[in-house]
Short mmCIF file of all heavy atoms in Angstrom, two decimals:
data_model
loop_
_atom_site.label_atom_id
_atom_site.label_comp_id
_atom_site.label_asym_id
_atom_site.label_seq_id
_atom_site.Cartn_x
_atom_site.Cartn_y
_atom_site.Cartn_z
N SER A 1133 -62.92 18.21 -219.49
CA SER A 1133 -63.38 16.85 -219.74
C SER A 1133 -63.58 16.14 -218.41
O SER A 1133 -63.19 16.66 -217.36
CB SER A 1133 -62.39 16.09 -220.63
OG SER A 1133 -63.07 15.02 -221.25
N GLY A 1134 -64.18 14.96 -218.46
CA GLY A 1134 -64.42 14.25 -217.21
C GLY A 1134 -64.75 12.78 -217.43
O GLY A 1134 -64.98 12.35 -218.56
N ILE A 1135 -64.76 12.04 -216.33
CA ILE A 1135 -65.15 10.63 -216.36
C ILE A 1135 -66.17 10.40 -215.25
O ILE A 1135 -66.05 10.97 -214.15
CB ILE A 1135 -63.91 9.71 -216.15
CG1 ILE A 1135 -62.95 9.86 -217.34
CG2 ILE A 1135 -64.32 8.25 -215.98
CD1 ILE A 1135 -61.76 8.93 -217.33
N LYS A 1136 -67.17 9.59 -215.54
CA LYS A 1136 -68.19 9.28 -214.52
C LYS A 1136 -67.63 8.26 -213.52
O LYS A 1136 -67.02 7.28 -213.95
CB LYS A 1136 -69.42 8.64 -215.20
CG LYS A 1136 -70.22 9.62 -216.02
CD LYS A 1136 -71.37 8.89 -216.73
CE LYS A 1136 -70.86 8.09 -217.88
NZ LYS A 1136 -71.69 7.08 -218.44
N PRO A 1137 -67.88 8.45 -212.23
CA PRO A 1137 -67.38 7.48 -211.24
C PRO A 1137 -68.30 6.26 -211.13
O PRO A 1137 -68.78 5.93 -210.05
CB PRO A 1137 -67.34 8.29 -209.95
CG PRO A 1137 -68.41 9.31 -210.10
CD PRO A 1137 -68.51 9.62 -211.58
N THR A 1138 -68.52 5.59 -212.27
CA THR A 1138 -69.40 4.42 -212.26
C THR A 1138 -68.60 3.15 -211.95
O THR A 1138 -69.20 2.10 -211.72
CB THR A 1138 -70.13 4.29 -213.61
OG1 THR A 1138 -69.19 4.53 -214.66
CG2 THR A 1138 -71.25 5.31 -213.73
N SER A 1139 -67.29 3.23 -211.97
CA SER A 1139 -66.41 2.13 -211.49
C SER A 1139 -64.98 2.64 -211.59
O SER A 1139 -64.76 3.80 -211.94
CB SER A 1139 -66.58 0.85 -212.32
OG SER A 1139 -65.72 0.86 -213.42
N HIS A 1142 -61.21 2.03 -216.96
CA HIS A 1142 -60.70 0.87 -217.71
C HIS A 1142 -59.74 1.33 -218.80
O HIS A 1142 -59.54 2.53 -219.00
CB HIS A 1142 -61.86 0.05 -218.28
CG HIS A 1142 -62.85 0.86 -219.08
ND1 HIS A 1142 -62.57 1.34 -220.33
CD2 HIS A 1142 -64.10 1.30 -218.78
CE1 HIS A 1142 -63.61 2.01 -220.79
NE2 HIS A 1142 -64.57 2.01 -219.85
N LEU A 1143 -59.19 0.35 -219.48
CA LEU A 1143 -58.19 0.64 -220.51
C LEU A 1143 -58.75 1.53 -221.62
O LEU A 1143 -58.03 2.34 -222.20
CB LEU A 1143 -57.68 -0.69 -221.09
CG LEU A 1143 -56.43 -0.64 -221.95
CD1 LEU A 1143 -55.25 -0.04 -221.22
CD2 LEU A 1143 -56.07 -2.05 -222.43
N GLY A 1144 -60.05 1.41 -221.91
CA GLY A 1144 -60.69 2.27 -222.91
C GLY A 1144 -60.68 3.73 -222.45
O GLY A 1144 -60.33 4.63 -223.21
N ASN A 1145 -61.04 3.95 -221.18
CA ASN A 1145 -61.00 5.31 -220.63
C ASN A 1145 -59.56 5.86 -220.71
O ASN A 1145 -59.36 7.03 -220.99
CB ASN A 1145 -61.40 5.34 -219.14
CG ASN A 1145 -62.84 4.96 -218.88
OD1 ASN A 1145 -63.11 4.19 -217.97
ND2 ASN A 1145 -63.77 5.47 -219.66
N TYR A 1146 -58.60 4.97 -220.43
CA TYR A 1146 -57.20 5.42 -220.44
C TYR A 1146 -56.76 5.82 -221.85
O TYR A 1146 -56.31 6.94 -222.08
CB TYR A 1146 -56.27 4.34 -219.85
CG TYR A 1146 -54.83 4.81 -219.93
CD1 TYR A 1146 -54.39 5.84 -219.10
CD2 TYR A 1146 -53.96 4.28 -220.88
CE1 TYR A 1146 -53.11 6.33 -219.20
CE2 TYR A 1146 -52.66 4.78 -220.99
CZ TYR A 1146 -52.24 5.80 -220.16
OH TYR A 1146 -50.97 6.31 -220.28
N ILE A 1147 -56.91 4.89 -222.80
CA ILE A 1147 -56.41 5.17 -224.15
C ILE A 1147 -57.25 6.26 -224.84
O ILE A 1147 -56.72 7.14 -225.51
CB ILE A 1147 -56.38 3.87 -225.00
CG1 ILE A 1147 -55.31 2.92 -224.42
CG2 ILE A 1147 -56.10 4.16 -226.47
CD1 ILE A 1147 -55.26 1.55 -225.08
N GLY A 1148 -58.57 6.18 -224.64
CA GLY A 1148 -59.46 7.12 -225.33
C GLY A 1148 -59.53 8.50 -224.69
O GLY A 1148 -59.93 9.46 -225.33
N ALA A 1149 -59.16 8.58 -223.42
CA ALA A 1149 -59.31 9.88 -222.75
C ALA A 1149 -58.04 10.26 -221.97
O ALA A 1149 -57.27 11.12 -222.42
CB ALA A 1149 -60.53 9.83 -221.82
N ILE A 1150 -57.80 9.61 -220.83
CA ILE A 1150 -56.77 10.10 -219.91
C ILE A 1150 -55.38 10.25 -220.56
O ILE A 1150 -54.70 11.25 -220.37
CB ILE A 1150 -56.67 9.19 -218.66
CG1 ILE A 1150 -58.04 9.04 -217.99
CG2 ILE A 1150 -55.67 9.74 -217.66
CD1 ILE A 1150 -58.12 7.97 -216.91
N TRP A 1153 -55.30 13.30 -222.48
CA TRP A 1153 -55.33 14.51 -221.63
C TRP A 1153 -53.92 14.85 -221.13
O TRP A 1153 -53.58 16.02 -220.98
CB TRP A 1153 -56.23 14.32 -220.42
CG TRP A 1153 -57.66 14.00 -220.72
CD1 TRP A 1153 -58.29 14.07 -221.94
CD2 TRP A 1153 -58.66 13.59 -219.78
NE1 TRP A 1153 -59.60 13.71 -221.80
CE2 TRP A 1153 -59.86 13.41 -220.49
CE3 TRP A 1153 -58.65 13.35 -218.40
CZ2 TRP A 1153 -61.05 13.01 -219.87
CZ3 TRP A 1153 -59.82 12.95 -217.79
CH2 TRP A 1153 -61.01 12.79 -218.52
N VAL A 1167 -67.25 13.35 -212.88
CA VAL A 1167 -68.61 13.86 -213.09
C VAL A 1167 -69.66 12.94 -212.43
O VAL A 1167 -70.35 12.17 -213.07
CB VAL A 1167 -68.87 14.13 -214.60
CG1 VAL A 1167 -68.13 15.38 -215.04
CG2 VAL A 1167 -68.46 12.98 -215.49
N VAL A 1174 -78.06 7.13 -213.95
CA VAL A 1174 -78.49 5.73 -213.84
C VAL A 1174 -78.15 5.29 -212.41
O VAL A 1174 -77.22 5.83 -211.81
CB VAL A 1174 -77.84 4.78 -214.90
CG1 VAL A 1174 -78.28 5.14 -216.30
CG2 VAL A 1174 -76.34 4.80 -214.81
N GLN A 1176 -76.80 4.16 -208.92
CA GLN A 1176 -75.47 3.81 -208.43
C GLN A 1176 -75.58 3.40 -206.97
O GLN A 1176 -76.45 3.89 -206.25
CB GLN A 1176 -74.52 5.02 -208.51
CG GLN A 1176 -74.36 5.62 -209.89
CD GLN A 1176 -73.72 4.69 -210.87
OE1 GLN A 1176 -72.91 3.82 -210.51
NE2 GLN A 1176 -74.08 4.82 -212.14
N GLN A 1234 -77.69 8.68 -227.16
CA GLN A 1234 -77.34 8.09 -225.85
C GLN A 1234 -78.59 7.87 -225.00
O GLN A 1234 -78.73 6.85 -224.35
CB GLN A 1234 -76.35 8.98 -225.09
CG GLN A 1234 -75.99 8.39 -223.74
CD GLN A 1234 -74.95 9.20 -222.99
OE1 GLN A 1234 -73.78 9.26 -223.36
NE2 GLN A 1234 -75.37 9.83 -221.91
N LYS A 1238 -79.66 4.32 -223.68
CA LYS A 1238 -79.68 4.03 -222.24
C LYS A 1238 -81.08 3.85 -221.68
O LYS A 1238 -81.25 3.26 -220.62
CB LYS A 1238 -78.92 5.11 -221.47
CG LYS A 1238 -77.43 5.10 -221.79
CD LYS A 1238 -76.57 5.55 -220.65
CE LYS A 1238 -75.12 5.17 -220.94
NZ LYS A 1238 -74.16 5.60 -219.98
N TYR A 1254 -79.47 14.93 -219.39
CA TYR A 1254 -78.01 14.77 -219.34
C TYR A 1254 -77.26 15.79 -220.23
O TYR A 1254 -76.31 16.44 -219.80
CB TYR A 1254 -77.70 13.33 -219.77
CG TYR A 1254 -76.30 12.82 -219.64
CD1 TYR A 1254 -75.99 11.83 -218.70
CD2 TYR A 1254 -75.27 13.26 -220.46
CE1 TYR A 1254 -74.70 11.32 -218.59
CE2 TYR A 1254 -73.99 12.75 -220.36
CZ TYR A 1254 -73.71 11.78 -219.43
OH TYR A 1254 -72.44 11.29 -219.32
N PRO A 1271 -62.28 17.66 -225.66
CA PRO A 1271 -61.87 16.40 -226.28
C PRO A 1271 -63.06 15.43 -226.28
O PRO A 1271 -63.59 15.13 -225.21
CB PRO A 1271 -60.74 15.86 -225.38
CG PRO A 1271 -60.61 16.81 -224.24
CD PRO A 1271 -61.71 17.82 -224.31
N VAL A 1272 -63.49 15.03 -227.44
CA VAL A 1272 -64.65 14.14 -227.51
C VAL A 1272 -64.39 12.96 -228.44
O VAL A 1272 -63.74 13.10 -229.46
CB VAL A 1272 -65.93 14.84 -228.03
CG1 VAL A 1272 -66.65 15.59 -226.94
CG2 VAL A 1272 -65.64 15.73 -229.21
N GLY A 1273 -64.94 11.83 -228.04
CA GLY A 1273 -64.98 10.69 -228.94
C GLY A 1273 -66.23 10.87 -229.80
O GLY A 1273 -67.06 11.74 -229.53
N ASP A 1275 -68.88 9.23 -229.90
CA ASP A 1275 -70.14 9.05 -229.17
C ASP A 1275 -70.63 10.32 -228.46
O ASP A 1275 -71.80 10.45 -228.17
CB ASP A 1275 -70.01 7.89 -228.16
CG ASP A 1275 -68.77 8.00 -227.29
OD1 ASP A 1275 -67.84 8.71 -227.68
OD2 ASP A 1275 -68.75 7.38 -226.22
N GLN A 1276 -69.70 11.25 -228.19
CA GLN A 1276 -70.12 12.47 -227.49
C GLN A 1276 -70.30 13.66 -228.43
O GLN A 1276 -70.68 14.75 -228.01
CB GLN A 1276 -69.10 12.81 -226.39
CG GLN A 1276 -69.13 11.85 -225.20
CD GLN A 1276 -70.47 11.84 -224.49
OE1 GLN A 1276 -71.13 12.86 -224.36
NE2 GLN A 1276 -70.90 10.67 -224.04
N GLN A 1306 -60.33 13.47 -231.13
CA GLN A 1306 -59.27 12.59 -230.62
C GLN A 1306 -58.66 11.79 -231.76
O GLN A 1306 -59.25 11.64 -232.81
CB GLN A 1306 -59.85 11.67 -229.56
CG GLN A 1306 -60.56 12.51 -228.50
CD GLN A 1306 -60.69 11.83 -227.18
OE1 GLN A 1306 -60.35 10.67 -227.03
NE2 GLN A 1306 -61.17 12.55 -226.21
N SER A 1310 -58.78 5.52 -231.43
CA SER A 1310 -58.63 5.51 -229.98
C SER A 1310 -59.85 4.90 -229.28
O SER A 1310 -59.92 4.88 -228.06
CB SER A 1310 -58.37 6.91 -229.46
OG SER A 1310 -59.37 7.78 -229.91
N ARG A 1311 -60.80 4.39 -230.08
CA ARG A 1311 -61.97 3.76 -229.47
C ARG A 1311 -61.65 2.29 -229.24
O ARG A 1311 -61.41 1.54 -230.19
CB ARG A 1311 -63.15 3.92 -230.44
CG ARG A 1311 -64.48 3.53 -229.86
CD ARG A 1311 -65.53 3.98 -230.87
NE ARG A 1311 -66.81 3.35 -230.64
CZ ARG A 1311 -67.69 3.77 -229.73
NH1 ARG A 1311 -67.39 4.81 -228.99
NH2 ARG A 1311 -68.84 3.16 -229.59
N ILE A 1312 -61.63 1.90 -228.00
CA ILE A 1312 -61.26 0.52 -227.66
C ILE A 1312 -62.53 -0.30 -227.47
O ILE A 1312 -63.45 0.12 -226.78
CB ILE A 1312 -60.40 0.50 -226.36
CG1 ILE A 1312 -59.18 1.42 -226.50
CG2 ILE A 1312 -59.98 -0.93 -226.00
CD1 ILE A 1312 -58.25 1.08 -227.65
N MET A 1313 -62.55 -1.47 -228.10
CA MET A 1313 -63.75 -2.29 -228.06
C MET A 1313 -63.60 -3.40 -227.01
O MET A 1313 -62.49 -3.69 -226.54
CB MET A 1313 -64.01 -2.91 -229.44
CG MET A 1313 -64.00 -1.90 -230.59
SD MET A 1313 -65.02 -0.44 -230.30
CE MET A 1313 -66.63 -1.09 -230.70
N SER A 1314 -64.72 -4.02 -226.65
CA SER A 1314 -64.71 -5.11 -225.68
C SER A 1314 -63.83 -6.26 -226.18
O SER A 1314 -63.82 -6.55 -227.37
CB SER A 1314 -66.14 -5.60 -225.47
OG SER A 1314 -66.12 -6.90 -224.92
N LYS A 1321 -68.28 -1.20 -227.45
CA LYS A 1321 -67.10 -0.54 -226.89
C LYS A 1321 -66.79 -1.11 -225.50
O LYS A 1321 -67.70 -1.57 -224.80
CB LYS A 1321 -67.29 0.97 -226.86
CG LYS A 1321 -68.21 1.49 -225.79
CD LYS A 1321 -68.01 3.00 -225.63
CE LYS A 1321 -68.75 3.47 -224.38
NZ LYS A 1321 -68.31 4.70 -223.85
N MET A 1322 -65.51 -1.09 -225.15
CA MET A 1322 -65.12 -1.50 -223.80
C MET A 1322 -65.81 -0.54 -222.84
O MET A 1322 -65.75 0.68 -223.02
CB MET A 1322 -63.60 -1.42 -223.65
CG MET A 1322 -63.10 -1.97 -222.35
SD MET A 1322 -61.29 -1.96 -222.22
CE MET A 1322 -60.83 -3.40 -223.16
N SER A 1323 -66.50 -1.08 -221.84
CA SER A 1323 -67.33 -0.22 -221.01
C SER A 1323 -67.33 -0.67 -219.55
O SER A 1323 -67.24 -1.87 -219.27
CB SER A 1323 -68.75 -0.26 -221.57
OG SER A 1323 -69.58 0.53 -220.79
N LYS A 1324 -67.44 0.30 -218.64
CA LYS A 1324 -67.48 -0.03 -217.21
C LYS A 1324 -68.72 -0.85 -216.89
O LYS A 1324 -68.70 -1.72 -216.05
CB LYS A 1324 -67.53 1.26 -216.37
CG LYS A 1324 -66.34 2.15 -216.57
CD LYS A 1324 -66.37 3.25 -215.52
CE LYS A 1324 -65.97 4.59 -216.11
NZ LYS A 1324 -67.13 5.38 -216.54
N SER A 1325 -69.80 -0.53 -217.58
CA SER A 1325 -71.06 -1.19 -217.23
C SER A 1325 -71.32 -2.47 -218.03
O SER A 1325 -72.40 -3.03 -217.95
CB SER A 1325 -72.22 -0.21 -217.39
OG SER A 1325 -72.16 0.37 -218.66
N ASP A 1326 -70.30 -2.94 -218.77
CA ASP A 1326 -70.46 -4.19 -219.52
C ASP A 1326 -70.67 -5.34 -218.53
O ASP A 1326 -69.92 -5.48 -217.56
CB ASP A 1326 -69.19 -4.43 -220.35
CG ASP A 1326 -69.36 -5.55 -221.35
OD1 ASP A 1326 -70.36 -6.30 -221.23
OD2 ASP A 1326 -68.51 -5.69 -222.23
N1 AQP B 1545 -64.07 1.96 -224.93
C1 AQP B 1545 -63.61 3.19 -224.97
N2 AQP B 1545 -62.64 3.54 -225.86
C2 AQP B 1545 -62.17 4.80 -225.89
N3 AQP B 1545 -62.57 5.78 -225.07
C3 AQP B 1545 -63.52 5.48 -224.17
N4 AQP B 1545 -64.15 6.21 -223.22
C4 AQP B 1545 -65.04 5.43 -222.56
N5 AQP B 1545 -65.01 4.18 -223.06
C5 AQP B 1545 -64.09 4.18 -224.07
C6 AQP B 1545 -63.88 7.63 -222.97
O1 AQP B 1545 -63.69 7.82 -221.58
C7 AQP B 1545 -64.17 9.10 -221.20
C8 AQP B 1545 -65.06 9.02 -219.98
O2 AQP B 1545 -66.07 8.09 -220.12
P1 AQP B 1545 -67.25 8.04 -219.06
O3 AQP B 1545 -66.92 7.13 -217.97
O4 AQP B 1545 -67.65 9.39 -218.63
O5 AQP B 1545 -68.44 7.53 -219.91
P2 AQP B 1545 -68.59 6.42 -220.97
O6 AQP B 1545 -67.99 6.87 -222.25
O7 AQP B 1545 -70.05 6.10 -220.97
O8 AQP B 1545 -67.73 5.20 -220.41
P3 AQP B 1545 -68.22 3.79 -219.99
O9 AQP B 1545 -67.08 2.99 -219.51
O10 AQP B 1545 -69.04 3.17 -221.09
O11 AQP B 1545 -69.12 4.12 -218.74
P4 AQP B 1545 -70.55 3.57 -218.35
O12 AQP B 1545 -70.49 2.09 -218.58
O13 AQP B 1545 -70.70 3.95 -216.92
O14 AQP B 1545 -71.53 4.28 -219.24
C9 AQP B 1545 -64.88 9.68 -222.41
O15 AQP B 1545 -64.00 10.63 -223.00
C10 AQP B 1545 -65.08 8.50 -223.31
O16 AQP B 1545 -65.10 8.86 -224.69
#
Side-chain angles (χ1 to χ4, degrees):
S1133 202
I1135 294 185
K1136 289 177 285 163
T1138 44
S1139 89
H1142 52 73
L1143 193 57
N1145 295 135
Y1146 177 71
I1147 293 174
I1150 306 169
W1153 300 349
V1167 287
V1174 294
Q1176 303 296 331
Q1234 179 176 291
K1238 293 211 166 177
Y1254 188 112
V1272 277
D1275 50 340
Q1276 290 298 324
Q1306 307 203 354
S1310 54
R1311 190 170 164 82
I1312 305 301
M1313 309 310 280
S1314 160
K1321 74 165 191 159
M1322 187 177 280
S1323 179
K1324 300 190 221 94
S1325 52
D1326 191 347

